[in-house]
Amino acid sequence: MFRRLLHLLFGLLLLSATALAEQRFPPPDFESGYQLPTPTTPAPRAGLMQYADVVVLLSALALALWLVYRTRSRRGITALSLFSLAYFGFYRKGCVCAIGSVQNVALALCDSHYALPVTVLIFFLAPLTVALFAGRAFCAAVCPQGAIQDLVLIKPLKVPAWLETPLGLIPYLFLGAGVCFAATGSGFLICRYDPLVPFFRFNGSELMIGLGVAFLLAGLFVGRPYCRFLCPYGALLRLATLAAKWRVRVTPDTCTQCALCQHSCPFGAMREPTGMQKREPLKTSRLRLATFLLLLPVLVGLGAWGGSQLATPASKFNRTVKLAGRYVRSLTTPDRFPMELQRVEANPGPVLAKAEEIRQQFLLGATLFGGWVGLVFGVKFISLCLRRNRTDFEPDPGTCFACARCFETCPSERIRRGWIPAELETARSKE
Amino acid sequence: MKIPLPQDPLGRREFLRGGVRYGLLVGLAAMAARAVSGKRLVNQDCTSQGICRGCPDYTDCELPQALSARQAPPISDTGAYEEVCRIAGGKMPSRSLAIGPEDRLYLATGNAVLVLNQAGVREQEWTLDAPVCCVTVAPDGTVFAGLRNRILHLDSNGNRLADWQVPGNRTWLTGLAADANDLFAADAGNRVILRLDRAGQCIGRIGEKNAERDVPGFIVPSPYFSVMIHPDGLLRVNNPGRHRVEAYTLDGDFEGAWGKASGAVDGFCGCCNPIRVVPLPDGRMITCEKGLPRVKIYSATGEFESVVAGTNAFPENARVGAGERDADAALAGLTAAVDSRGRIAILDHVTGAVRILQPKAGGKA
Amino acid sequence: MSTNPKEPVNRRNFLGAAARVAAMTGVGALLGKLAGATAAKGTVWQIDPAKCVRCGKCATACVLEQSAVKCVHAYAVCGYCELCTGYFGPEPNELTTAAENQLCPTAAIQRTYIEDPYYQYHIDEKLCIGCAKCVDGCNRYGNGSLFLQVRHDRCVNCNECAIARVCAGDAFVRVPVDQPYLLKTKPTTS
């Protein structure tokens, strides 16, 4: 299978070249004994080293889990994120990363001509599997994009809930759009609009460098703005944590409900005990829940319809569709840059057919995307109505990046570590 | 008081048990999905992709759509000649053209020689066992076909009279010319014109670099090299690397040369032109060029006279030659031949079409 | 919350376990679906010289300060011409290495005399910016021995190649990492 794929990718050029090497038109017959040089072919770094990347990723994930669950060490997490930033960020220039791998997987699922490198599949699955069992340890210290934001955070401000909740939906939408574009072969939006990669490469378009600077400036005061309000892989991990078996728990003992952990969390991930919340009457809540449950299919349907309306404009981002459009226009008005059009002019049929095929794919993709948007909103409304019972301060596993900041603020943890004499604390709490 | 870690991470046993359970689950699901999704990749060959690189494996494939989509405009923009007829050759790649008795066209295309009558109707098709690189017709009506390093002597019905192996491992025949006694073969690989007798014996090597005889040597960077017998009794050979046409006696004495490298219309442009020279009965010479594919006429002494067909008459040829198409640029080229009525036939190697041009009435032809 | 690993089966734990089982089944299904579509070796970007239309965007669109795409010379295809249309601009004053005769904007092609009448042309990769001017000249009139390739000592192998996105000829392809170059060879036909 691999060999066939290899041939497909390679085309017939080399095939015929190897088969007929002795039948080439001979070069000049030099009398001076001149020997033909051969062009140099420096080997790509990606050969063996891509597996080194995987080893580093898996080790870093394991280490992050150990640091979060066993040593509970913020210092260790910081050190690991510095390493990840240096390795995955500045050394590997941010490619390939788990965030972008979503698109490779989507493309491989939809395009039979695309071969997904195994390493990319591991980059996609490993953090996701970890999240399924133990939360977002990847975000804590392995992701270079997360690390760079975590390190610039100096004066965290709390984002009000009315702003945080809707902004928190953007990653899901970005994820949907990214998958839709990747699946139709229209490009990797998530890579293209990653604002932090230009820092790793010390280069990028003005727009992306500007965005990156904006994100880092905002990151001085708002904890990890990209992770919370844009990162599509984060959205996927957030979904995965719904099933997480182990969750980050702040207090090792009983919660004293001191709320120190809530203040220490720069990402607004701590949820207070339900006893401390103001609650509306149960009846109102139930009524509201029923309304939103009924509304969910309506929202999905509405979204799907809206999405299908977006299909045509969205499909114009695809190169083939754009090219076909330019070709059709060029039949009436001459094109300014005819070079791209040459391959269409030679044989318009296949390009036009391909464009039409992609348009159809976009119709499906955009409809699904619209439905997804409706679903995201509907489920969010429903989840806002759900009443949960908490007796302690607990981090929301979906929002928590497992950064380990809160542990050290918890009095019980401090006692556990022997930073406060246990007797003193017991005496104080008895007063 | 010793406070334990908040969550006892699972014991080793439970961790392993969970790992096995979930691993099995993943494995089963993977196998099921694998079974359902089935085969993915389809085998593709070059023709279904519209790509032809003219490889010998595909010598007989039909002309790719990409190359036949556009009709070339008729040749009428020059003063002397006008296009009267266009014959679709249709096979890719076509490489050589000769005109024989009764103005029959002999077309080397793919692995075959096509014989067309003067109206363009296919009379015969002789399939040979290798790509045909060049073809010529002897005065007695027999046909010589050059394969890469072999020459076949065929009678007028395509029956094989002789099959000569041309020695040398660099041999790459691209042009043939025959008179009543001799056959001249242009070997582009060895940069030499071979003189063969009717028994296939090599009786002379013409044009090899030789300071004593003042022979400059041919520079042939690509497989475009031809020889023709001029009415004055000398050979005319194109020396593309020196941008000129050279004259040799049949015994290999260098008699002179004309032509200059220039981007202007009277010169030969690019790195290696002309690719072919064909004498007219009155002694003037037709030259074919690639890069900017065009056909021109020079006087017997080498003064530029006129353009027969310009680049815009061969748009696909120009694009393939410039590497702008998914086809091997070395396929591009033109071959001209002259019939008994003074009409010029031009074979476009890319499209396989033959354009017949006749002198315009009243034109200076 | 109990620290005992044997937690009681309540609704929450049950739902969690069900979700995990579903999610792992999903992961397995994904793996199975992708099993036939993976390439163990991985891929890198390369230019198919047969498709390149020499639009010049390689020089500017790369994410690197200086493009990872450079001109490569297939010496075995080269005619070693004295009048090289990849080296000299149209209508050169004389066939010398004087700057005004050269096509290359950065003088990255070195011309050396070998023997009459042959000259070797060599690309100085430090100077080459991948603008494809010489490639166009060589392909249009010559043997096409000059062509563009992604140089893998420079390429950072972006997930989505920024040049591929704008390539006029759609010539960028993913190739297996162990055969990372699409080098030109001598013409096969006569």
Side-chain angles (χ1 to χ4, degrees), chain A residues 4-5 12-13 20 23-29 70 72 108 111-112 133 246-247 251-252 342 346-347 416, chain B residues 3-7 9-10 22 40-41 46 53 65-66 69 170 172 188-189 191 220-223 324-325:
Chain A
R4 249 171 72 197
L5 189 74
L12 286 149
L13 187 69
L20 297 160
Q23 281 197 15
R24 304 288 166 195
F25 187 75
D29 203 4
R70 265 298 161 108
R72 295 161 64 82
D111 180 358
S112 61
F133 287 88
W246 305 302
R247 295 172 178 208
T251 174
Q342 280 179 2
N347 193 7
R416 189 184 73 84
Chain B
I3 303 176
L5 280 172
Q7 272 171 325
L10 289 178
Y22 284 113
R40 290 165 46 84
L41 293 169
C46 65
R53 296 192 169 94
Q65 214 186 352
R170 293 156 58 97
W172 199 285
R191 282 85 178 168
V220 187
S222 47
E324 286 169 9
R325 288 280 184 270

Short mmCIF file of all heavy atoms in Angstrom, two decimals, chain A residues 4-5 12-13 20 23-29 70 72 108 111-112 133 246-247 251-252 342 346-347 416, chain B residues 3-7 9-10 22 40-41 46 53 65-66 69 170 172 188-189 191 220-223 324-325:
data_model
loop_
_atom_site.label_atom_id
_atom_site.label_comp_id
_atom_site.label_asym_id
_atom_site.label_seq_id
_atom_site.Cartn_x
_atom_site.Cartn_y
_atom_site.Cartn_z
N ARG A 4 2.61 1.81 -3.30
CA ARG A 4 1.74 2.31 -4.38
C ARG A 4 1.49 3.78 -4.20
O ARG A 4 1.50 4.56 -5.15
CB ARG A 4 0.43 1.54 -4.37
CG ARG A 4 0.32 0.66 -5.59
CD ARG A 4 -0.84 -0.26 -5.48
NE ARG A 4 -2.08 0.44 -5.64
CZ ARG A 4 -3.23 -0.07 -5.26
NH1 ARG A 4 -3.26 -1.26 -4.72
NH2 ARG A 4 -4.34 0.59 -5.42
N LEU A 5 1.33 4.13 -2.95
CA LEU A 5 1.07 5.52 -2.63
C LEU A 5 2.27 6.36 -3.03
O LEU A 5 2.16 7.44 -3.61
CB LEU A 5 0.83 5.61 -1.14
CG LEU A 5 0.35 6.94 -0.67
CD1 LEU A 5 -1.10 7.09 -1.08
CD2 LEU A 5 0.48 7.02 0.83
N LEU A 12 5.04 9.66 -12.66
CA LEU A 12 5.71 8.74 -13.56
C LEU A 12 7.08 9.21 -13.96
O LEU A 12 7.85 8.49 -14.57
CB LEU A 12 4.84 8.56 -14.80
CG LEU A 12 3.64 7.71 -14.46
CD1 LEU A 12 2.46 8.11 -15.29
CD2 LEU A 12 3.97 6.25 -14.64
N LEU A 13 7.37 10.45 -13.61
CA LEU A 13 8.63 11.04 -14.03
C LEU A 13 9.80 10.17 -13.60
O LEU A 13 10.63 9.77 -14.40
CB LEU A 13 8.75 12.42 -13.38
CG LEU A 13 9.93 13.26 -13.83
CD1 LEU A 13 9.73 13.69 -15.27
CD2 LEU A 13 10.07 14.47 -12.94
N LEU A 20 14.81 3.75 -17.51
CA LEU A 20 15.44 4.01 -18.79
C LEU A 20 16.72 4.79 -18.65
O LEU A 20 17.12 5.52 -19.53
CB LEU A 20 14.47 4.79 -19.68
CG LEU A 20 13.21 4.01 -20.00
CD1 LEU A 20 12.12 4.94 -20.42
CD2 LEU A 20 13.48 3.00 -21.09
N GLN A 23 19.10 5.07 -21.46
CA GLN A 23 18.62 5.52 -22.77
C GLN A 23 18.52 7.02 -22.89
O GLN A 23 17.76 7.55 -23.68
CB GLN A 23 17.24 4.92 -23.04
CG GLN A 23 17.32 3.48 -23.49
CD GLN A 23 16.06 3.03 -24.12
OE1 GLN A 23 15.22 3.85 -24.49
NE2 GLN A 23 15.90 1.73 -24.28
N ARG A 24 19.25 7.74 -22.02
CA ARG A 24 19.16 9.20 -22.06
C ARG A 24 19.96 9.79 -23.20
O ARG A 24 20.94 9.21 -23.64
CB ARG A 24 19.68 9.75 -20.74
CG ARG A 24 18.99 9.19 -19.55
CD ARG A 24 17.62 9.74 -19.47
NE ARG A 24 16.83 8.98 -18.55
CZ ARG A 24 15.52 9.05 -18.48
NH1 ARG A 24 14.88 9.81 -19.31
NH2 ARG A 24 14.86 8.36 -17.61
N PHE A 25 19.56 10.98 -23.59
CA PHE A 25 20.33 11.66 -24.61
C PHE A 25 21.68 12.04 -24.01
O PHE A 25 21.75 12.64 -22.95
CB PHE A 25 19.60 12.91 -25.08
CG PHE A 25 20.27 13.56 -26.23
CD1 PHE A 25 20.17 13.00 -27.48
CD2 PHE A 25 21.02 14.70 -26.06
CE1 PHE A 25 20.82 13.57 -28.55
CE2 PHE A 25 21.67 15.27 -27.13
CZ PHE A 25 21.57 14.71 -28.38
N PRO A 26 22.76 11.65 -24.66
CA PRO A 26 24.06 11.82 -24.01
C PRO A 26 24.50 13.29 -23.94
O PRO A 26 24.23 14.07 -24.86
CB PRO A 26 25.00 11.01 -24.91
CG PRO A 26 24.29 10.86 -26.19
CD PRO A 26 22.83 10.95 -25.93
N PRO A 27 25.19 13.66 -22.87
CA PRO A 27 25.75 15.01 -22.75
C PRO A 27 26.93 15.15 -23.70
O PRO A 27 27.38 14.17 -24.29
CB PRO A 27 26.18 15.08 -21.29
CG PRO A 27 26.41 13.67 -20.88
CD PRO A 27 25.47 12.84 -21.69
N PRO A 28 27.47 16.37 -23.83
CA PRO A 28 28.62 16.55 -24.74
C PRO A 28 29.76 15.62 -24.37
O PRO A 28 29.96 15.27 -23.21
CB PRO A 28 29.01 18.01 -24.52
CG PRO A 28 27.81 18.67 -23.97
CD PRO A 28 27.05 17.63 -23.24
N ASP A 29 30.54 15.27 -25.38
CA ASP A 29 31.68 14.39 -25.17
C ASP A 29 32.90 15.26 -24.89
O ASP A 29 33.53 15.78 -25.79
CB ASP A 29 31.88 13.57 -26.45
CG ASP A 29 32.61 12.28 -26.17
OD1 ASP A 29 32.89 12.02 -24.98
OD2 ASP A 29 32.89 11.56 -27.13
N ARG A 70 1.19 13.82 40.39
CA ARG A 70 2.03 13.26 41.44
C ARG A 70 2.75 14.34 42.24
O ARG A 70 2.56 14.48 43.43
CB ARG A 70 3.05 12.29 40.83
CG ARG A 70 2.60 10.84 40.86
CD ARG A 70 2.40 10.38 42.27
NE ARG A 70 1.57 9.20 42.34
CZ ARG A 70 2.01 7.98 42.62
NH1 ARG A 70 3.28 7.79 42.87
NH2 ARG A 70 1.17 6.98 42.68
N ARG A 72 2.53 17.59 41.70
CA ARG A 72 1.71 18.80 41.80
C ARG A 72 2.58 20.04 41.85
O ARG A 72 2.34 20.97 42.60
CB ARG A 72 0.81 18.71 43.03
CG ARG A 72 -0.21 17.58 42.95
CD ARG A 72 -0.77 17.20 44.27
NE ARG A 72 -1.54 18.26 44.93
CZ ARG A 72 -2.81 18.55 44.67
NH1 ARG A 72 -3.46 17.87 43.77
NH2 ARG A 72 -3.43 19.50 45.32
N ALA A 108 -7.21 13.54 5.41
CA ALA A 108 -6.97 12.12 5.12
C ALA A 108 -8.28 11.36 5.07
O ALA A 108 -8.43 10.41 4.30
CB ALA A 108 -6.04 11.53 6.16
N ASP A 111 -9.91 12.81 1.53
CA ASP A 111 -9.21 12.81 0.26
C ASP A 111 -8.36 11.55 0.17
O ASP A 111 -7.40 11.38 0.91
CB ASP A 111 -8.32 14.06 0.16
CG ASP A 111 -7.55 14.11 -1.15
OD1 ASP A 111 -7.68 13.17 -1.95
OD2 ASP A 111 -6.82 15.09 -1.38
N SER A 112 -8.72 10.68 -0.75
CA SER A 112 -8.03 9.40 -0.81
C SER A 112 -6.61 9.54 -1.37
O SER A 112 -5.85 8.60 -1.35
CB SER A 112 -8.82 8.41 -1.66
OG SER A 112 -8.93 8.92 -2.96
N PHE A 133 -8.62 10.77 29.51
CA PHE A 133 -8.45 10.13 30.81
C PHE A 133 -8.05 11.10 31.90
O PHE A 133 -8.46 10.94 33.04
CB PHE A 133 -7.41 9.00 30.70
CG PHE A 133 -7.94 7.81 29.98
CD1 PHE A 133 -7.84 7.72 28.61
CD2 PHE A 133 -8.60 6.82 30.66
CE1 PHE A 133 -8.37 6.64 27.93
CE2 PHE A 133 -9.14 5.74 30.00
CZ PHE A 133 -9.03 5.65 28.63
N TRP A 246 -9.74 10.92 35.51
CA TRP A 246 -9.07 11.63 36.61
C TRP A 246 -9.17 13.11 36.34
O TRP A 246 -8.97 13.57 35.23
CB TRP A 246 -7.61 11.22 36.69
CG TRP A 246 -7.43 9.75 36.80
CD1 TRP A 246 -7.93 8.95 37.77
CD2 TRP A 246 -6.74 8.92 35.90
NE1 TRP A 246 -7.60 7.66 37.54
CE2 TRP A 246 -6.85 7.60 36.39
CE3 TRP A 246 -6.03 9.12 34.72
CZ2 TRP A 246 -6.29 6.51 35.75
CZ3 TRP A 246 -5.45 8.06 34.09
CH2 TRP A 246 -5.59 6.76 34.59
N ARG A 247 -9.45 13.83 37.40
CA ARG A 247 -9.54 15.27 37.25
C ARG A 247 -8.61 15.94 38.22
O ARG A 247 -8.32 15.40 39.28
CB ARG A 247 -10.98 15.72 37.50
CG ARG A 247 -11.86 15.14 36.43
CD ARG A 247 -13.30 15.36 36.68
NE ARG A 247 -14.00 14.78 35.53
CZ ARG A 247 -15.15 15.20 35.10
NH1 ARG A 247 -15.78 16.18 35.72
NH2 ARG A 247 -15.71 14.65 34.05
N THR A 251 -7.68 20.58 46.46
CA THR A 251 -7.35 20.28 47.84
C THR A 251 -7.09 18.79 48.03
O THR A 251 -7.80 17.95 47.48
CB THR A 251 -8.46 20.76 48.78
OG1 THR A 251 -8.16 20.32 50.09
CG2 THR A 251 -9.80 20.20 48.35
N PRO A 252 -6.07 18.46 48.77
CA PRO A 252 -5.81 17.05 49.03
C PRO A 252 -6.70 16.52 50.15
O PRO A 252 -6.82 15.32 50.35
CB PRO A 252 -4.35 17.04 49.46
CG PRO A 252 -4.10 18.38 50.02
CD PRO A 252 -5.04 19.33 49.36
N GLN A 342 -3.15 29.36 -17.62
CA GLN A 342 -2.67 28.57 -18.75
C GLN A 342 -3.08 27.11 -18.65
O GLN A 342 -3.50 26.52 -19.63
CB GLN A 342 -1.15 28.67 -18.83
CG GLN A 342 -0.71 29.96 -19.50
CD GLN A 342 0.78 30.08 -19.56
OE1 GLN A 342 1.50 29.19 -19.14
NE2 GLN A 342 1.25 31.19 -20.09
N ALA A 346 -5.56 25.17 -21.41
CA ALA A 346 -5.16 24.01 -22.21
C ALA A 346 -6.24 22.95 -22.19
O ALA A 346 -6.47 22.27 -23.17
CB ALA A 346 -3.87 23.44 -21.66
N ASN A 347 -6.92 22.85 -21.08
CA ASN A 347 -7.86 21.75 -20.91
C ASN A 347 -8.88 22.12 -19.83
O ASN A 347 -8.76 21.70 -18.69
CB ASN A 347 -7.06 20.50 -20.50
CG ASN A 347 -7.90 19.26 -20.61
OD1 ASN A 347 -9.01 19.30 -21.11
ND2 ASN A 347 -7.36 18.17 -20.12
N ARG A 416 -0.06 19.73 53.67
CA ARG A 416 0.43 18.46 53.19
C ARG A 416 1.93 18.54 52.88
O ARG A 416 2.68 17.61 53.13
CB ARG A 416 -0.33 18.04 51.93
CG ARG A 416 -0.03 16.62 51.47
CD ARG A 416 -0.73 16.29 50.18
NE ARG A 416 -0.11 16.96 49.03
CZ ARG A 416 0.94 16.50 48.37
NH1 ARG A 416 1.50 15.37 48.74
NH2 ARG A 416 1.45 17.17 47.36
N ILE B 3 -1.31 13.75 55.20
CA ILE B 3 -2.41 13.84 54.22
C ILE B 3 -1.92 13.24 52.91
O ILE B 3 -0.86 13.62 52.40
CB ILE B 3 -2.83 15.29 54.01
CG1 ILE B 3 -3.24 15.90 55.35
CG2 ILE B 3 -3.97 15.38 53.01
CD1 ILE B 3 -3.59 17.35 55.27
N PRO B 4 -2.66 12.32 52.33
CA PRO B 4 -2.20 11.71 51.06
C PRO B 4 -2.43 12.65 49.88
O PRO B 4 -3.05 13.70 50.02
CB PRO B 4 -3.07 10.46 50.96
CG PRO B 4 -4.32 10.85 51.66
CD PRO B 4 -3.95 11.81 52.75
N LEU B 5 -1.94 12.24 48.73
CA LEU B 5 -2.25 12.97 47.50
C LEU B 5 -3.76 12.96 47.30
O LEU B 5 -4.44 12.02 47.71
CB LEU B 5 -1.58 12.28 46.30
CG LEU B 5 -0.11 12.57 46.11
CD1 LEU B 5 0.43 11.68 45.02
CD2 LEU B 5 0.11 14.02 45.74
N PRO B 6 -4.30 14.01 46.68
CA PRO B 6 -5.76 14.13 46.62
C PRO B 6 -6.43 12.96 45.92
O PRO B 6 -7.45 12.47 46.36
CB PRO B 6 -5.98 15.42 45.85
CG PRO B 6 -4.68 15.75 45.22
CD PRO B 6 -3.63 15.17 46.09
N GLN B 7 -5.88 12.56 44.82
CA GLN B 7 -6.51 11.43 44.14
C GLN B 7 -5.46 10.37 44.06
O GLN B 7 -4.40 10.59 43.49
CB GLN B 7 -6.91 11.81 42.72
CG GLN B 7 -8.26 12.41 42.63
CD GLN B 7 -8.47 12.95 41.23
OE1 GLN B 7 -7.55 13.43 40.60
NE2 GLN B 7 -9.69 12.84 40.78
N PRO B 9 -3.68 8.10 42.33
CA PRO B 9 -3.65 7.62 40.95
C PRO B 9 -3.74 6.11 40.97
O PRO B 9 -3.24 5.49 41.88
CB PRO B 9 -2.29 8.10 40.44
CG PRO B 9 -1.86 9.15 41.39
CD PRO B 9 -2.48 8.81 42.71
N LEU B 10 -4.36 5.59 40.01
CA LEU B 10 -4.69 4.18 40.02
C LEU B 10 -3.49 3.30 40.32
O LEU B 10 -2.37 3.61 39.93
CB LEU B 10 -5.24 3.78 38.65
CG LEU B 10 -6.62 4.33 38.34
CD1 LEU B 10 -7.00 3.91 36.95
CD2 LEU B 10 -7.61 3.81 39.34
N TYR B 22 -9.22 -0.83 27.32
CA TYR B 22 -9.41 0.23 26.33
C TYR B 22 -8.65 -0.07 25.06
O TYR B 22 -9.10 0.24 23.94
CB TYR B 22 -9.01 1.57 26.92
CG TYR B 22 -10.05 2.10 27.88
CD1 TYR B 22 -9.79 2.21 29.23
CD2 TYR B 22 -11.31 2.46 27.42
CE1 TYR B 22 -10.73 2.69 30.11
CE2 TYR B 22 -12.27 2.93 28.29
CZ TYR B 22 -11.99 3.05 29.64
OH TYR B 22 -12.94 3.51 30.48
N ARG B 40 -8.93 2.23 -0.73
CA ARG B 40 -9.00 3.66 -0.94
C ARG B 40 -8.38 4.15 -2.23
O ARG B 40 -8.97 4.92 -2.96
CB ARG B 40 -8.33 4.38 0.21
CG ARG B 40 -9.05 4.32 1.52
CD ARG B 40 -8.12 4.73 2.62
NE ARG B 40 -7.38 5.94 2.29
CZ ARG B 40 -7.85 7.16 2.45
NH1 ARG B 40 -9.05 7.34 2.92
NH2 ARG B 40 -7.14 8.21 2.13
N LEU B 41 -7.17 3.68 -2.48
CA LEU B 41 -6.44 4.34 -3.54
C LEU B 41 -6.67 3.68 -4.89
O LEU B 41 -6.70 2.47 -5.01
CB LEU B 41 -4.95 4.34 -3.21
CG LEU B 41 -4.63 5.20 -2.00
CD1 LEU B 41 -3.21 4.96 -1.54
CD2 LEU B 41 -4.84 6.65 -2.33
N CYS B 46 -0.65 7.81 -16.58
CA CYS B 46 -0.40 9.18 -16.99
C CYS B 46 -1.49 9.68 -17.94
O CYS B 46 -1.84 10.84 -17.92
CB CYS B 46 0.97 9.30 -17.63
SG CYS B 46 1.13 8.39 -19.16
N ARG B 53 4.43 12.41 -20.90
CA ARG B 53 5.81 12.84 -20.97
C ARG B 53 6.52 12.15 -22.12
O ARG B 53 7.72 12.12 -22.20
CB ARG B 53 6.51 12.58 -19.64
CG ARG B 53 5.91 13.40 -18.53
CD ARG B 53 6.74 13.38 -17.29
NE ARG B 53 6.24 14.36 -16.36
CZ ARG B 53 5.37 14.09 -15.41
NH1 ARG B 53 4.91 12.87 -15.28
NH2 ARG B 53 4.95 15.03 -14.60
N GLN B 65 -5.77 15.02 -24.21
CA GLN B 65 -6.75 16.08 -24.44
C GLN B 65 -6.11 17.45 -24.28
O GLN B 65 -6.40 18.39 -25.00
CB GLN B 65 -7.86 15.92 -23.42
CG GLN B 65 -9.22 16.31 -23.93
CD GLN B 65 -10.24 16.24 -22.81
OE1 GLN B 65 -9.96 15.77 -21.73
NE2 GLN B 65 -11.41 16.74 -23.08
N ALA B 66 -5.20 17.51 -23.28
CA ALA B 66 -4.60 18.80 -22.98
C ALA B 66 -3.92 19.39 -24.20
O ALA B 66 -3.87 20.60 -24.37
CB ALA B 66 -3.58 18.63 -21.87
N ALA B 69 -6.69 20.32 -27.29
CA ALA B 69 -7.89 21.10 -27.02
C ALA B 69 -8.02 22.31 -27.94
O ALA B 69 -9.10 22.67 -28.37
CB ALA B 69 -7.88 21.56 -25.58
N ARG B 170 26.28 5.61 -27.58
CA ARG B 170 25.64 6.92 -27.46
C ARG B 170 24.75 7.22 -28.66
O ARG B 170 24.21 8.32 -28.77
CB ARG B 170 26.70 8.02 -27.34
CG ARG B 170 27.51 7.97 -26.05
CD ARG B 170 28.86 8.65 -26.23
NE ARG B 170 28.72 10.03 -26.65
CZ ARG B 170 28.76 11.06 -25.82
NH1 ARG B 170 28.95 10.85 -24.54
NH2 ARG B 170 28.61 12.29 -26.25
N TRP B 172 22.12 8.02 -31.27
CA TRP B 172 20.79 8.60 -31.12
C TRP B 172 20.43 9.23 -32.46
O TRP B 172 20.72 10.40 -32.69
CB TRP B 172 20.82 9.66 -30.01
CG TRP B 172 19.46 9.98 -29.47
CD1 TRP B 172 18.50 10.73 -30.08
CD2 TRP B 172 18.93 9.59 -28.21
NE1 TRP B 172 17.41 10.82 -29.29
CE2 TRP B 172 17.63 10.13 -28.13
CE3 TRP B 172 19.40 8.82 -27.16
CZ2 TRP B 172 16.82 9.93 -27.02
CZ3 TRP B 172 18.59 8.65 -26.06
CH2 TRP B 172 17.32 9.19 -25.99
N ALA B 188 22.73 12.25 -33.35
CA ALA B 188 22.83 13.37 -32.43
C ALA B 188 23.62 12.99 -31.19
O ALA B 188 24.27 13.82 -30.57
CB ALA B 188 21.43 13.84 -32.04
N GLY B 189 23.58 11.72 -30.81
CA GLY B 189 24.29 11.29 -29.61
C GLY B 189 25.79 11.39 -29.77
O GLY B 189 26.48 11.86 -28.86
N ARG B 191 27.22 13.15 -32.25
CA ARG B 191 27.49 14.41 -32.96
C ARG B 191 28.25 14.15 -34.26
O ARG B 191 29.34 14.69 -34.49
CB ARG B 191 28.29 15.38 -32.07
CG ARG B 191 27.48 16.08 -31.03
CD ARG B 191 27.34 15.26 -29.76
NE ARG B 191 26.59 16.01 -28.75
CZ ARG B 191 26.10 15.48 -27.64
NH1 ARG B 191 26.23 14.19 -27.40
NH2 ARG B 191 25.44 16.20 -26.79
N VAL B 220 25.59 19.60 -30.36
CA VAL B 220 24.18 19.17 -30.38
C VAL B 220 23.73 18.95 -28.93
O VAL B 220 23.92 17.87 -28.38
CB VAL B 220 23.99 17.89 -31.20
CG1 VAL B 220 22.51 17.57 -31.35
CG2 VAL B 220 24.63 18.02 -32.56
N PRO B 221 23.18 19.97 -28.29
CA PRO B 221 22.82 19.81 -26.88
C PRO B 221 21.56 18.98 -26.65
O PRO B 221 21.33 18.50 -25.56
CB PRO B 221 22.59 21.25 -26.41
CG PRO B 221 23.00 22.14 -27.55
CD PRO B 221 22.92 21.32 -28.78
N SER B 222 20.76 18.85 -27.67
CA SER B 222 19.49 18.14 -27.50
C SER B 222 19.21 17.37 -28.78
O SER B 222 19.80 17.65 -29.82
CB SER B 222 18.38 19.14 -27.18
OG SER B 222 18.43 20.22 -28.08
N PRO B 223 18.33 16.40 -28.75
CA PRO B 223 18.19 15.53 -29.93
C PRO B 223 17.50 16.18 -31.12
O PRO B 223 16.41 15.79 -31.52
CB PRO B 223 17.40 14.33 -29.38
CG PRO B 223 16.70 14.83 -28.19
CD PRO B 223 17.51 15.93 -27.63
N GLU B 324 5.68 24.48 -20.43
CA GLU B 324 4.49 24.99 -19.75
C GLU B 324 3.35 23.98 -19.74
O GLU B 324 2.26 24.28 -19.32
CB GLU B 324 4.02 26.29 -20.41
CG GLU B 324 4.93 27.45 -20.07
CD GLU B 324 4.65 28.66 -20.91
OE1 GLU B 324 3.64 28.67 -21.64
OE2 GLU B 324 5.45 29.60 -20.85
N ARG B 325 3.59 22.84 -20.28
CA ARG B 325 2.56 21.82 -20.30
C ARG B 325 3.08 20.57 -19.60
O ARG B 325 4.29 20.39 -19.48
CB ARG B 325 2.19 21.46 -21.75
CG ARG B 325 1.40 22.55 -22.44
CD ARG B 325 -0.06 22.48 -22.03
NE ARG B 325 -0.85 23.45 -22.75
CZ ARG B 325 -1.07 24.68 -22.34
NH1 ARG B 325 -0.53 25.11 -21.23
NH2 ARG B 325 -1.81 25.50 -23.03
#
